[in-house]
Amino acid sequence: MKALVYHGAKDVRIDDKPKPEIKDKGDIILRVTSTALCGSDLHLYHGTVQGMEPGQTLGHEFMGIVEDTGSSVQEIKKGDRVVIPFNISCGNCWFCRHELWSQCDRSNPNGEVGAAYGYTQLLGGYDGGQAEFVRVPFANTGALKVPDAISSDEQVLFLSDILPTGYFGADIANVQPGDDVAVFGAGPVGYFSVISSFLRGAARVFCIDHWPTRLSKVKDLGAETINFDNEDPIEIIKKETKERGTICIDAVGYEAVGHMKAGSNNGNKGHDHSKVANPAYEPANPLQVINWMCQAARKYSTISIPGVYGSDYDKFPLGQLFNKELQIRLGQCPVKKYNEQLLHLIEVGRIDPKPLISHTMKLDEAPKAYDMFDKKEDVTKVVFKTGA
Ligand SMILES: NC(=O)c1ccc[n+]([C@@H]2O[C@H](COP(=O)([O-])OP(=O)(O)OC[C@H]3O[C@@H](n4cnc5c(N)ncnc54)[C@H](O)[C@@H]3O)[C@@H](O)[C@H]2O)c1
Ligand SMILES: [Zn+2]
Ligand SMILES: [Zn+2]
């Protein structure tokens, strides 16, 4: 079968790989119909994530038709159409029993976080879904059936990650009716954080980025956009909120760019260069957004960080966090906590994920798509069709 395989930084290729087989009685084999490219894949593409080994199939956002089921799979049958959360949850360990789906310690026995598809040995080493077929373990827990009434994959594909992750961003920030919110990053996660903040009753949502196409998409959702190349986001947020500040969501992560000089007091001084997986691609300003959020945040609010950080970007503005009595919540989104309710919002037409998609391409074109998505410009979200 065809699969998009990691060979090294900026080197991903369509390879011919053996079709996966049932290994455990809880597995299903999924024939992938649609799969998407995520900002998290770019961290791998840049070679900046520890533990990524050549040979692993990429992709953690996918859906498809069940091709084969293990003997203990009861919830799902051959021929069902399902969408799969990017995190792999066993359903039975202490964390899964407490509905902390992103921290399953059976799917990833050696990790300090739960496993995910197509995302390094540290996250379990599972092959991903940017392929014609993928093995889905613990399918009784993970697979979400798509109602017959939803005919297009594009309506539900993002339930695998970015829609729940955007909602998670607003949830852990505890966005309440009447709040003003700032979403840093107008990429796919930022897009759904804007939608989710409004769903939860935000009065105003500011969204900060520097790509005009991305900013115009969140503007269509009702966000007030700030292009940080031309304007100072902190100045605008303070002025617009009469100094009160906003609830802040970081939908960017450690590959942030910005105007803070790397190595400055607010920057990545103290950052351990020896730990960077690919020093040639060292991020420009890993703490830019964290620092902006600490300045923009309303006092006593919770800073929410769905954007990804690695343990080697650890210098923190602790004084500001302490003085303003901020809370920080962050981590891998527990997709299963939200995906059913979000599916219902899609079903009744309250959420329409489709306008985010800028490109639909064949899986064969994935290497080109990585390069395009990396350059951003007019690319907001790429969906691959396998044609399998
Ligand atoms: N926590 C989770 O479970 C989870 C799930 C999915 C994605 N993520 C992470 O969320 C982040 C965003 O994902 P995405 O798919 O939207 O990625 P993306 O790369 O498409 O978008 C990131 C956006 O941030 C913008 N940006 C860069 N520096 C900025 C700054 N200083 N201020 C404001 N915007 C800035 C970029 O221009 C870009 O548009 C990534 O770090 C990704 O790994 C986390
Ligand atoms: Zn993703
Ligand atoms: Zn578990």
Side-chain angles (χ1 to χ4, degrees):
M1 65 156 188
K2 285 179 193 166
L4 184 78
V5 176
Y6 179 83
H7 285 265
K10 295 251 183 155
D11 184 3
V12 295
R13 301 176 209 164
I14 296 287
D15 286 351
D16 190 21
K17 275 191 146 183
K19 189 178 158 187
E21 290 173 352
I22 302 273
K23 276 194 192 160
D24 185 271
K25 54 187 191 276
D27 293 353
I28 60 174
I29 301 300
L30 193 71
R31 177 165 61 80
V32 176
T33 52
S34 300
T35 171
L37 175 49
C38 178
S40 299
D41 294 323
L42 293 180
H43 306 319
L44 302 172
Y45 187 60
H46 295 154
T48 57
V49 184
Q50 300 280 341
M52 191 64 192
E53 286 173 12
Q56 191 171 9
T57 302
L58 292 163
H60 57 271
E61 302 182 0
F62 56 87
M63 63 180 294
I65 310 287
V66 178
E67 174 96 353
D68 199 3
T69 57
S71 59
S72 71
V73 178
Q74 287 135 9
E75 304 296 325
I76 304 294
K77 307 227 162 354
K78 197 174 164 181
D80 280 351
R81 184 160 160 254
V82 292
V83 55
I84 308 295
F86 77 87
N87 14 53
I88 305 173
S89 322
C90 78
N92 290 312
C93 74
W94 190 93
F95 291 95
C96 287
R97 287 202 314 277
H98 291 80
E99 301 189 347
L100 305 166
W101 307 108
S102 39
Q103 297 295 345
C104 175
D105 58 11
R106 191 168 296 160
S107 64
N108 189 13
N110 305 317
E112 46 173 34
V113 63
Y117 294 94
Y119 223 87
T120 79
Q121 294 304 310
L122 302 180
L123 267 64
Y126 293 85
D127 271 333
Q130 287 167 3
E132 287 177 312
F133 296 90
V134 60
R135 182 177 76 94
V136 173
F138 309 112
N140 282 323
T141 307
L144 178 71
K145 262 196 243 179
V146 179
D148 291 340
I150 297 181
S151 56
S152 117
D153 280 10
E154 285 72 8
Q155 285 290 92
V156 287
L157 174 61
F158 303 147
L159 287 168
S160 56
D161 179 354
I162 50 168
L163 173 48
T165 297
Y167 191 85
F168 169 70
D171 185 30
I172 62 178
N174 194 27
V175 173
Q176 293 292 314
D179 281 345
D180 292 338
V181 178
V183 175
F184 290 83
V189 172
Y191 185 84
F192 286 115
S193 295
V194 170
I195 289 184
S196 303
S197 298
F198 279 128
L199 269 174
R200 293 175 62 99
R204 301 174 75 178
V205 180
F206 301 92
C207 188
I208 300 99
D209 205 305
H210 67 157
W211 291 105
T213 314
R214 292 177 171 223
L215 287 170
S216 92
K217 289 222 172 179
V218 293
K219 197 168 189 175
D220 292 343
L221 302 171
E224 299 171 53
T225 56
I226 303 172
N227 183 330
F228 66 77
D229 279 345
N230 311 327
E231 305 166 302
D232 179 348
I234 307 308
E235 227 169 70
I236 294 180
I237 289 168
K238 288 203 164 157
K239 182 169 155 266
E240 289 294 319
T241 61
K242 301 190 174 60
E243 298 293 322
R244 177 167 291 171
T246 59
I247 306 292
C248 289
I249 302 174
D250 174 349
V252 180
Y254 70 95
E255 299 206 66
V257 296
H259 304 304
M260 200 167 74
K261 279 204 186 88
S264 73
N265 251 350
N266 280 336
N268 55 1
K269 194 176 170 190
H271 164 63
D272 183 352
H273 296 261
S274 65
K275 285 196 201 150
V276 176
N278 179 11
Y281 216 100
E282 186 163 3
N285 284 310
L287 295 181
Q288 174 71 78
V289 174
I290 304 288
N291 278 277
W292 274 345
M293 290 198 301
C294 287
Q295 293 171 60
R298 197 175 78 194
K299 290 187 281 188
Y300 231 113
S301 65
T302 300
I303 283 180
S304 150
I305 312 181
V308 161
Y309 287 86
S311 53
D312 40 339
Y313 304 105
D314 272 349
K315 191 172 155 63
F316 242 72
L318 282 172
Q320 215 159 15
L321 289 164
F322 184 91
N323 286 341
K324 294 174 79 172
E325 298 188 55
L326 301 173
Q327 300 184 49
I328 301 182
R329 292 200 56 192
L330 64 172
Q332 207 186 84
C333 166
V335 170
K336 197 176 155 61
K337 180 170 175 188
Y338 307 107
N339 60 3
E340 267 191 82
Q341 294 295 85
L342 293 167
L343 170 61
H344 191 49
L345 284 160
I346 294 170
E347 240 178 334
V348 300
R350 293 280 311 278
I351 295 180
D352 179 12
K354 279 187 178 166
L356 173 66
I357 302 167
S358 57
H359 292 72
T360 304
M361 299 169 81
K362 288 195 171 137
L363 183 63
D364 295 295
E365 299 176 284
K368 184 173 126 200
Y370 268 71
D371 186 50
M372 286 165 52
F373 188 54
D374 190 24
K375 296 197 172 97
K376 307 224 168 9
E377 292 171 8
D378 289 336
V379 188
T380 49
K381 187 75 180 176
V382 184
V383 172
F384 300 119
K385 295 293 186 182
T386 57

